[in-house]
Structure formats: structure tokens, C-alpha cells
């Protein structure tokens, strides 16, 4: 089994990946348990950082903030039985990411999207940012607010990002760029920083990366 313990700090360096759901995909009239029950195996938010998403969702630690969603509903599942919105979100995170250190915060106020906020939303959204079952028969009004979820996650996807950055920097020859030395960067210091970056990327590696690399090699 892969080791999912948090990576040890390296020179006090910690890296996180950003995730977000804007707007959070809640149907009009639904509650947070209703929405989360529709995503029992994969979270309804997307990776924003330039990392390749992995087949297996896991993380070491995460901080999640949700705003603009209520808890009210009738009990129908363990999520519905939670007493508060915070407990509902925390229960969901522990279910999908067992063993990870997860913190969650819930804010009642949604994110305001009044002008000059760009109106790039789907016509399936109400003015409060909730999803409709079907397009309205009338011209959709401007979206005034939306429920939003944002997350910062320390996870194995960072291994791909950091190792890729390390490979790109290995191609750089500082001797061909006088500006490196004019800025006070010495070649030894550059190589030392490169080695620290390589070591840092290994802190976020698990057994899953090797399996996915083999799958990519087979597909090639």
C-alpha cells in the first residue's frame, strides 16, 4: 500500500495545489447533502494548478472553504444526518480522503457577481447561481451571486508538477545566460536549488506515480 503520510518539510518548504468549483454545482432548491450525494466517488471541484490529474484521488492534507450553500434537508443518508453544514462537508472529505488531514470552513454568504464581474455563466444558472434542470423559457437574468468551493491540497499530483519543473530547469545552462550572474546567481547556487527542488518533488511521490507512468508507457 502506498504511504500517504504527509511529506516531511524540506527547508520549511510546503507546496499545495489549488482546486475550485465556480459555481458549486448545486441544483436550485437542493441542500449540500443532496449535492454531495451526487458525487460519491469523485469531488465536484476541478484542479486549477498545472498538474496532471491522477486516476486515484488521494491527498496528504487539505483546507476547503465553501460559501453560499445551506444544510437544510430531510434525513436520507449519513450526510443528511449531519447536524451542520460544517459536519456535512467534513464527513464527505473524510469519506473520499480517509487518513488525510482535512479542515473545512463554511460561509453563509455567497460570492457576489454584480458588475463589473464578467457574465460568462451558463443560462442554466439562476440569479443566485444555482443550476436549473432545464433552460428557462425566458431570457436569463444576470447572475448576481454564486456558491463557491475552493480548496488547497497537499497531494501526490504535486510530484508531477515539481518533477516536470525540475526537468525543464535541468535543460537551462546558466552559462549561456549572463543575466543569471548579473542578478547575483552563482552556478553552484543554481545547481543546489535544483537539487533541493528534485528532493522536494520526491516528498510528494507515492506508489501510484510509478503505476501511472507504466500505463502511459504502454499506451505509447
Amino acid at each position: 500500500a502506498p504511504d500517504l503520510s504527509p511529506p516531511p518539510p524540506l527547508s520549511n518548504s510546503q507546496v499545495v495545489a489549488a482546486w475550485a468549483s465556480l459555481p458549486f454545482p448545486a441544483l436550485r432548491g437542493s441542500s449540500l447533502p443532496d449535492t454531495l450525494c451526487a458525487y460519491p466517488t469523485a469531488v465536484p471541484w476541478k484542479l486549477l494548478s498545472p498538474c496532471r490529474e491522477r486516476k486515484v484521488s488521494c491527498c496528504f492534507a487539505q483546507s476547503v472553504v465553501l460559501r453560499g450553500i445551506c444544510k437544510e434537508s430531510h434525513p436520507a443518508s449519513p450526510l443528511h444526518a449531519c447536524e451542520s453544514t460544517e459536519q456535512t462537508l467534513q464527513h464527505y472529505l473524510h469519506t473520499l480522503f480517509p487518513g488525510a488531514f482535512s479542515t473545512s470552513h463554511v460561509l453563509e454568504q455567497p460570492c457576489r457577481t454584480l458588475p463589473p464581474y464578467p457574465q460568462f455563466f451558463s443560462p442554466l444558472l439562476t440569479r443566485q447561481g444555482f443550476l436549473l434542470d432545464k433552460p428557462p423559457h425566458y431570457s436569463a437574468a444576470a447572475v448576481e451571486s454564486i456558491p463557491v468551493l475552493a480548496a488547497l491540497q497537499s497531494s501526490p499530483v504535486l510530484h508531477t508538477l515539481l518533477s516536470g519543473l525540475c526537468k525543464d530547469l535541468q535543460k537551462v545552462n546558466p552559462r549561456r545566460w549572463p543575466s543569471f550572474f548579473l542578478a547575483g546567481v552563482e552556478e553552484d547556487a543554481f545547481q543546489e536549488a535544483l537539487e533541493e527542488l528534485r528532493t522536494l518533488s520526491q516528498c510528494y511521490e507515492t506508489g501510484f506515480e510509478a503505476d501511472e507512468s507504466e500505463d502511459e508507457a504502454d499506451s505509447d
Side-chain angles (χ1 to χ4, degrees):
D3 181 12
L4 295 182
S5 57
L10 177 69
S11 302
N12 296 322
S13 297
Q14 291 291 335
V15 186
V16 293
W19 300 70
S21 182
L22 190 157
F24 188 72
L27 288 170
R28 181 177 58 177
S30 66
S31 65
L32 179 60
D34 297 331
T35 303
L36 295 180
C37 283
Y39 299 89
T41 60
V43 294
W45 47 91
K46 298 295 183 181
L47 180 63
L48 301 183
S49 300
C51 312
R52 179 174 56 84
E53 292 196 49
R54 304 167 68 254
K55 296 178 181 178
V56 180
S57 296
C58 62
C59 72
F60 307 116
Q62 61 187 335
S63 177
V64 180
V65 177
L66 174 67
R67 59 184 301 177
I69 295 290
C70 68
K71 162 66 176 64
E72 296 177 3
S73 63
H74 299 288
S77 71
L79 286 176
H80 290 80
C82 295
E83 296 182 355
S84 66
T85 308
E86 291 85 350
Q87 290 182 7
T88 300
L89 183 57
Q90 194 71 17
H91 186 285
Y92 181 75
L93 295 174
H94 284 319
T95 300
L96 263 66
F97 303 98
F101 175 75
S102 299
T103 63
S104 59
H105 305 276
V106 176
L107 305 175
E108 293 184 2
Q109 294 298 323
C111 179
R112 306 295 293 177
T113 56
L114 296 173
Y117 199 96
Q119 290 293 316
F120 47 65
F121 300 107
S122 164
L124 287 175
L125 286 186
T126 67
R127 285 193 294 179
Q128 290 73 39
F130 292 100
L131 295 172
L132 296 169
D133 293 326
K134 56 185 178 180
H137 299 294
Y138 51 86
S139 178
V143 178
E144 298 177 354
S145 66
I146 54 174
V148 176
L149 183 142
L152 295 177
Q153 195 178 81
S154 172
S155 68
V157 299
L158 294 164
H159 170 71
T160 304
L161 174 64
L162 296 174
S163 61
L165 178 59
C166 185
K167 291 177 182 178
D168 290 340
L169 291 174
Q170 284 178 320
K171 302 175 184 178
V172 175
N173 183 0
R175 296 178 181 177
R176 298 180 58 185
W177 303 91
S179 58
F180 270 74
F181 302 105
L182 292 176
V185 178
E186 298 182 0
E187 184 175 359
D188 290 343
F190 175 79
Q191 295 299 329
E192 181 180 351
L194 187 62
E195 184 59 33
E196 288 187 357
L197 180 62
R198 182 183 299 107
T199 303
L200 181 62
S201 71
Q202 294 171 352
C203 291
Y204 296 90
E205 185 177 14
T206 67
F208 290 124
E209 281 76 15
D211 295 338
E212 292 188 356
S213 297
E214 291 177 1
D215 292 340
E216 290 182 352
D218 293 339
S219 63
D220 294 341

